[in-house]
């Protein structure tokens, strides 16, 4: 493929090249795009920027990588393009992990999330060379809300001092919460169930070691539970905000 040939001509491993790209984008965000923002929120905003660059493109790239594989399935061998997409996501999570280690070392939950995610993607890409269909499908489900979530996060960071940001935050909250709830609360768990049924049927024995796919399942299940708890708290907070506003209007 032309894309693969282009990377080979650069004489840089795709993973390193992608990491450098995300690193440069992060610096652009921190030093240029968000330079006038408060030092407290500049790192988070820069993280959102690289997440924007990764999220939606990853959805399209992963979808193409899956559909382009005529032998796609839970037991399929990873294609070259699928490996490239996995490298793209590994580079992003490595860069964002570096961000958390430097600026938010006490945020154990996010650091653990990134380490667990990296374990899943790296083992799929470099250890077993199978399972890209499952991992890329999960990546699509995880990142399909990325655009909305990052805009919502940026608006949330400035809603206290910029009226437009407050309006964007208020406008995006309900649809973002609804989409996130649908994907993480229903579609994601159903896909994981189908994946586990296939794996437990022994159809990947000899291709993906049992300890690896069980580890994948544990990581994904934990991520889904945490996501459901997170979005549930946001729904409760939104309900309280709307209730408080209504009470003030009545008074």
């Amino acid at each position: 493929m032309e894309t693969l040939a282009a990377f080979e001509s650069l004489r840089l491993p795709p993973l390193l090249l992608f990491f450098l790209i995300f690193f440069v984008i992060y610096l652009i965000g921190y030093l240029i795009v968000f330079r006038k923002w408060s030092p407290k929120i500049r790192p988070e905003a820069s993280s959102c920027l690289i997440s924007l660059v990764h999220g939606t493109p990853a959805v399209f790239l992963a979808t193409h990588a899956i559909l382009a594989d005529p032998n796609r399935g839970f037991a399929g061998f990873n294609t070259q393009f699928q490996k490239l997409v996995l490298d793209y996501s590994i580079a992003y999570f490595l860069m964002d992990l570096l961000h958390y280690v430097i600026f938010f070392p006490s945020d154990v939950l996010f650091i653990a999330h990134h380490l667990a995610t990296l374990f899943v993607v790296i083992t799929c890409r470099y250890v077993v060379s199978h399972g890209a269909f499952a991992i890329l499908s999960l990546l699509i489900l995880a990142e399909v809300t990325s655009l909305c979530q990052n805009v919502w996060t940026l608006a949330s960071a400035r809603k206290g001092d910029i009226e437009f940001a407050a309006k964007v935050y208020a406008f995006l909250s309900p649809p973002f919460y609804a989409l996130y709830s649908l994907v993480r609360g229903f579609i994601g768990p159903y896909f994981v169930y189908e994946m586990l049924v296939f794996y437990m049927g022994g159809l990947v024995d000899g291709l993906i070691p049992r300890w690896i796919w069980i580890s994948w399942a544990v990581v994904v299940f934990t991520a889904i539970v945490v996501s459901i708890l997170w979005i549930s708290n946001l729904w409760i907070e939104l309900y309280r905000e709307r209730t408080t506003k209504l009470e003030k209007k009545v008074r």
Side-chain angles (χ1 to χ4, degrees):
M1 295 177 66
E2 293 182 1
T3 305
L4 295 176
F7 278 111
E8 290 176 357
S9 66
L10 292 172
R11 299 184 182 279
L12 276 178
L15 178 57
L16 176 58
L17 180 61
F18 287 140
F19 180 82
L20 291 175
I21 290 173
F22 284 118
F23 180 73
V24 170
I25 292 173
Y26 187 93
L27 289 180
I28 291 174
Y30 191 84
L31 299 175
I32 300 175
V33 179
F34 305 112
R35 69 183 185 279
K36 294 183 179 180
W37 288 32
S38 166
K40 293 183 179 180
I41 59 177
R42 279 172 70 191
E44 181 183 8
S46 302
S47 175
C48 284
L49 182 60
I50 61 171
S51 182
L52 282 167
V53 173
H54 168 259
T56 303
V59 171
F60 287 105
L61 289 170
T63 301
H64 176 69
I66 290 173
L67 296 179
D69 180 13
N71 301 312
R72 60 182 174 271
F74 289 115
F77 185 81
N78 299 349
T79 66
Q80 287 300 114
F81 190 72
Q82 288 172 349
K83 292 177 181 178
L84 191 67
V85 179
L86 291 171
D87 279 336
Y88 182 70
S89 286
I90 291 172
Y92 160 72
F93 282 108
L94 284 174
M95 182 60 232
D96 208 42
L97 177 62
L98 180 63
H99 151 78
Y100 276 101
V101 170
I102 293 175
F103 291 103
F104 306 102
S106 61
D107 199 336
V108 179
L109 182 61
F110 265 95
I111 291 175
H113 168 270
H114 280 27
L115 287 173
T117 301
L118 282 168
F119 166 79
V120 172
V121 184
I122 289 174
T123 51
C124 175
R125 167 66 175 90
Y126 290 101
V127 179
V128 297
S129 294
H130 289 78
F133 171 77
I135 303 308
L136 290 179
S137 295
L138 291 170
L139 177 66
I140 292 170
L141 293 175
E143 298 296 344
V144 72
T145 57
S146 176
L147 176 61
C148 190
Q149 182 173 350
N150 281 291
V151 174
W152 174 86
T153 301
L154 290 171
S156 176
R158 300 302 304 271
K159 66 178 181 179
D161 56 307
I162 299 179
E163 184 179 354
F164 178 71
K167 290 181 179 179
V168 171
Y169 173 81
F171 174 78
L172 281 181
S173 290
F176 164 56
Y177 296 174
L179 177 61
Y180 193 95
S181 299
L182 175 64
V183 174
R184 302 297 180 97
F186 297 96
I187 301 177
Y190 175 75
F191 181 84
V192 173
Y193 168 77
E194 291 292 326
M195 181 181 76
L196 284 177
V197 168
F198 186 90
Y199 285 167
M200 288 188 293
L203 298 177
V204 294
D205 289 351
L207 301 176
I208 304 176
R210 183 163 298 184
W211 71 270
I212 286 185
W213 67 255
I214 290 177
S215 299
W216 292 354
V218 170
V219 169
V220 175
F221 176 77
T222 303
I224 287 175
V225 171
V226 173
S227 296
I228 291 174
L229 291 174
W230 181 71
I231 197 65
S232 297
N233 287 332
L234 288 178
W235 277 117
I236 293 172
E237 183 180 338
L238 179 64
Y239 173 77
R240 288 174 177 170
E241 289 178 357
R242 297 295 171 88
T243 302
T244 301
K245 288 181 179 180
L246 286 175
E247 290 177 349
K248 289 181 178 180
K249 287 184 179 180
V250 172
R251 292 175 184 175

